[in-house]
Amino acid sequence: MTRAVPDDLTCQELVDLLTAYLDDALDPQSRRAVDGHLADCPGCQRALSHLRLSARAVRATEVEALDPAVRENLLMAFRRRFR
Amino acid sequence: MTGRDADLVSDLRSGDESAFARLVDLWSPAMLSVARSFVRSHASAEDVVQETWIAVLDGLSSFRGDASLRTWTFRILANQARRRGRDDARVVPAETLADDPSYPPSSFRDAADPWPGHWRSNAMPADWGPEDQVLSREALAAVQAALAELPDRQRVVVELRDVHDLSSAEVCEVLAISPQNQRVLLHRGRTRVRRRLAALLTGEEDR
């Protein structure tokens, strides 16, 4: 848990807490402070949305698969052991 | 052991090759990502992943299920990768956000302003447009480029969390880092991706 933050959180402080906020890793008081700030700060709402969108874009990138030859070696190793 | 793990382990022990192939296909991309954060070349990373799977097969008969099969596998992987890795013994200092803020300090009003620390009206994050645009081929290419340029430790945390869906607890365990450090690495990595997207989508740095 991240330590408690003041109720009158500034935007500059809030943007550093957004990953902890998305991970639900803030203590309840800090979480309330962030929720309260977000409720009437369009700039920080957008910062949150941009961080979420960035994570979603990362998820949409292509993943690297194992070399097919390595994969085939592994399946052979499996057969040798378990058959 | 969870029911799912128990089924998997019994399928593997009984020689179900397709179950093993599915597991290899499912976990190897994340394993490659972890291995690459420890070893220099892509070929070494492939070797580490291969050795890990062999070690998993060798150890399967003694797997007790104290951790999940995935966590156990990734623990073996991290050990193999560290053994082979370049700077195994180096102690990496914990990172803080202080020297790499999420947005440049100039985005915020200064102490002389009635609202210090709040967005300057001309520095508020700009609209990125519809979500399709954020997920367009061009945007994803920019994201891929940003990921490739991340420091290894940021890249591996972002990939494990945001691509491969590991929990923060699993990432901490596999990489042997604290929850706080994990969060800082994730936040910094995502922030660099965000900056790259912002530059592409709004034409302005850091908005």
Side-chain angles (χ1 to χ4, degrees):
Chain A
M1 291 259 175
T2 307
R3 70 186 153 67
V5 298
D7 286 338
D8 56 345
L9 200 57
T10 67
C11 305
Q12 192 165 13
E13 291 163 337
L14 184 137
V15 291
D16 282 347
L17 297 174
L18 288 176
T19 291
Y21 177 77
L22 289 174
D23 264 3
D24 207 5
L26 294 175
D27 61 88
Q29 191 203 329
S30 305
R31 182 166 188 91
R32 272 197 301 278
V34 170
D35 280 331
H37 181 117
L38 281 171
D40 43 34
C41 180
C44 287
Q45 285 167 17
R46 207 167 254 174
L48 176 65
S49 136
H50 288 176
L51 201 63
R52 273 205 184 110
L53 283 169
S54 301
R56 206 169 300 159
V58 167
R59 183 177 307 270
T61 57
E62 254 171 59
V63 300
E64 189 176 24
L66 198 60
D67 183 308
V70 172
R71 184 180 186 276
E72 194 43 49
N73 283 344
L74 288 172
L75 298 185
M76 264 163 47
F78 183 83
R79 269 173 244 144
R80 274 199 304 273
R81 272 172 182 72
F82 291 99
R83 281 194 179 169
Chain B
M1 203 179 316
T2 64
R4 204 182 117 68
D5 268 3
D7 290 349
L8 252 174
V9 169
S10 99
D11 286 348
L12 294 175
R13 283 178 183 156
S14 70
D16 183 342
E17 185 178 330
S18 65
F20 180 60
R22 270 198 305 277
L23 217 50
V24 167
D25 293 338
L26 195 61
W27 292 349
S28 293
M31 291 165 74
L32 279 171
S33 169
V34 172
R36 276 222 327 263
S37 72
F38 287 102
V39 300
R40 217 177 273 283
S41 73
H42 183 76
S44 306
E46 296 254 5
D47 286 349
V48 167
V49 172
Q50 172 161 309
E51 284 161 14
T52 300
W53 280 117
I54 299 293
V56 165
L57 295 180
D58 289 341
L60 208 53
S61 58
S62 58
F63 175 73
R64 295 259 176 278
D66 302 327
S68 73
L69 188 64
R70 182 164 83 167
T71 299
W72 179 70
T73 301
F74 275 78
R75 233 184 245 162
I76 296 173
L77 172 79
N79 287 335
Q80 301 268 11
R82 266 189 211 107
R83 203 170 307 152
R84 201 189 258 253
R86 51 191 169 201
D87 38 25
D88 184 11
R90 191 164 61 104
V91 177
V92 185
E95 309 210 9
T96 65
L97 285 173
D99 48 337
D100 189 11
S102 309
Y103 288 83
S106 60
S107 310
F108 304 99
R109 300 166 192 255
D110 57 32
D113 191 280
W115 293 97
H118 290 255
W119 296 104
R120 286 183 196 282
S121 52
N122 60 357
M124 279 226 268
D127 186 17
W128 280 6
E131 188 166 334
D132 317 1
Q133 217 166 295
V134 182
L135 300 176
S136 68
R137 195 176 309 176
E138 192 189 8
L140 294 185
V143 169
Q144 200 104 51
L147 285 174
E149 287 168 20
L150 289 181
D152 285 338
R153 286 158 49 84
Q154 288 180 26
R155 184 186 50 74
V156 66
V157 171
V158 170
E159 288 183 353
L160 291 181
R161 290 294 312 279
D162 290 342
V163 182
H164 303 296
D165 264 337
L166 268 67
S167 69
S168 58
E170 279 180 297
V171 172
C172 290
E173 150 125 37
V174 170
L175 301 179
I177 56 178
S178 71
Q180 170 67 16
N181 206 16
Q182 189 265 159
R183 210 145 44 232
V184 171
L185 291 166
L186 178 62
H187 188 75
R188 284 186 164 182
R190 282 179 179 167
T191 293
R192 292 193 191 197
V193 170
R194 176 187 58 69
R195 280 189 201 139
R196 187 67 71 96
L197 280 171
L200 179 77
L201 298 170
T202 72
E204 294 186 61
E205 293 299 325
D206 253 316
R207 288 287 296 280

